[in-house]
Amino acid sequence: MSLNHFLENAMSEWMRVKGADSDVIFSSRVRIARNLAHIPFPMLSTASQSEEVIHLIEEALTKDDIPEILENAELIQMADLTDLQKRVLVEKHLISPHLAEESTSGAVLFSQDESVSIMVNEEDHIRIQCLFPGFQLEKAWKLASQIDDWLEKHVSFAFDEQCGYLTSCPTNVGTGIRASVMIHLPALALTQQLNRFIPAITQVGLAVRGIYGEGSEALGNLYQVSNQVTLGQSEEEIINKLQGVVRQMIDHEKQARERLLGMSPIQLEDRVTRSFGILAHARIIDSKEAMKRLSDVRLGIDLDLLTGVPSSVMNELMVLIQPGFLQQYAGEKLGAEERDIRRAELIRERLGMERD
Amino acid sequence: MSLLCPECGKRPATLHYTKIVNGEKTEAHLCEVCAQEKGEYMPGFDNGFSFHNLLSGLLNFDMVSSESPNIAQQKTMPRCATCGLTYNQFSKIGRFGCSDCFETFRDRLDPLLRRIHGSTAHQGKIPERTKGELKIRRDLEKLREQLARSVESEEFEEAAQLRDQIRSLQEQLSE
Ligand SMILES: [Zn+2]
Ligand SMILES: [Zn+2]
């Protein structure tokens, strides 16, 4: 499988296929951190030790018992990629910013459908990530665990009876699991209920942060909800708890949508169609505005206020309009203003409104 | 009934959040404008402090409390024999250097892990390999006790059998 495949298609499987509750939950992700015993963690390992880690993973990949999903997967070295290529992979959520920016001896492998990526020499030696569309945390955990079982047959993991799986950062120690969902909360944002919600979620040991945007501005009303605690609870307990809280968030968001639709239908329709009009006709648009309009349009599609636009359009566009992808598409480096022009162009094309 | 922001006394306090500084929880109530000015809150949320700041806050707390009883303790600050990381360095960067750091810093880790996770004991998955070894080690312990008893009661035939079993388990472990 060539690297170009992963770089050129904006749409990963998780964006194209609809999962359960995909009108609110765009994706579910489980990532587990593992380290090899007897080799210092990547922060302190020497070049030859890092190579050894890569070598051990490569060797495991040649074994007959390799999980079907990883057949033909190849390790890609970060050093062989340009900064722009790395950025595109980050924008597709296939690799972490840490692997792209900080790792000197990092590598990654993807399953063909991009639902699995295994990062090597990130903050930990190994990070297994499974990403599925919609609300499918359990499925993501089962697959990650299965890959973990397979890998463990061929390499020996740093494990301690008391502390569990040993990781570079104390916040990952134990299960090494980070489970998260990408959730779209336009109605809770519109009805100004998020300020009430977010502290409550933090109180039960979960973290909420914006997915796009510098610092903490949540562009496009997209949030990531994830577990914070990794020690003292089993993986299943952690997943169940996250699932329970997310389920409540889904219900509240859906109620808020119904209420908005019931109380101010014309205002809501105006907001949706106005945003659609801007996206369909603008000649210059920055990512902040684009994300805001895309959020409105997606809400309109999910509430049947807009027809004829596939709902995956926002999932796809929110990746396509990121700076890395825009430049990958243009085949050259672009300044901020040029990006805003290209972004508007791309959105118009994608919405199929250019008829001349 | 909405609470007025204690900072400006004008706008309603719409943001309520918990801050943890050096392990102490404090409740804060502010209006959006004041919260933003104080840098406590950014629109969108991410309650003003990043998790890594929080983490180094927790670690600093450890350093302060271990420094105060006597300064000489600083000099005997544990250093991991495998990767060379000292506890001091660990508390600055918030990262372990290798898996042996856990053993070296074990005494100091419990309070830290408890503050982060509310627990210090792993409850999740165990690698199959470790599971097998654990079982063998526990079986060995039992067999050795039985052996001691059978020698004591001069049941030599049984003792010989137990020795064979112990030997084969030991071989499995060293494989
Ligand atoms: Zn105020
Ligand atoms: Zn160490």
Side-chain angles (χ1 to χ4, degrees), chain B residues 80 83 97-98 100-101:
Chain B
C80 174
C83 71
C98 75
D100 292 332
C101 289

Side-chain angles (χ1 to χ4, degrees), chain A residues 34 37-41 43-44 123 141 145-146 148-149 152-156 158-175 195 198-199 202-203 208-210 216-218 223 228-235, chain B residues 14-18 25 27 32 41-47 51-52 55 59 82-85 90 93-100 102-103 106 109-110 112-113 116-130 134 137-138:
Chain A
R34 296 287 185 260
H38 315 304
I39 299 178
F41 298 155
M43 180 183 74
L44 290 184
E123 186 180 282
W141 156 241
S145 182
Q146 186 201 333
D148 175 49
D149 288 342
E152 193 240 319
K153 286 187 193 136
H154 305 292
V155 297
S156 128
F159 182 84
D160 175 89
E161 271 173 53
Q162 173 72 25
C163 293
Y165 291 94
L166 305 180
T167 56
S168 173
C169 184
T171 59
N172 291 318
V173 163
T175 54
N195 290 343
I198 287 159
T202 316
Q203 294 256 305
V208 190
R209 40 181 86 82
S216 46
E217 228 177 326
Y223 293 89
Q228 293 272 46
V229 167
T230 57
L231 182 68
Q233 295 172 15
S234 72
E235 291 86 350
Chain B
T14 48
L15 300 175
H16 313 284
Y17 51 96
T18 315
K25 252 190 186 178
E27 302 277 340
E32 204 156 340
Y41 174 89
M42 319 242 202
F45 64 97
D46 210 39
N47 305 337
F51 197 66
H52 282 292
L55 179 63
L59 290 158
T82 308
C83 71
L85 196 77
F90 164 67
I93 51 182
R95 297 289 184 280
F96 296 107
C98 75
S99 50
D100 292 332
F102 287 80
E103 198 52 56
R106 188 162 314 255
L109 288 185
D110 271 18
L112 171 68
L113 292 175
I116 299 174
H117 299 287
S119 166
T120 60
H122 178 57
Q123 301 288 336
K125 203 171 164 175
I126 298 173
E128 281 302 319
R129 197 183 300 204
T130 310
L134 252 178
R137 262 186 270 128
R138 284 186 188 144

Side-chain angles (χ1 to χ4, degrees), chain A residues 10-11 15 212 276 279 290-291 294 297 309-322 325-326 343-352:
Chain A
M11 295 282 271
M15 296 179 239
Y212 290 107
F276 185 78
L279 288 176
M291 290 300 284
L294 284 167
V297 168
V309 188
S311 68
S312 61
V313 81
M314 180 175 174
N315 300 23
E316 183 189 343
L317 279 174
M318 71 191 185
V319 172
L320 274 174
I321 62 167
Q322 300 302 318
F325 250 101
L326 283 176
R343 183 178 294 113
E345 222 173 80
L346 211 149
I347 294 172
R348 289 203 311 275
E349 265 171 35
R350 182 64 189 83
L351 293 179

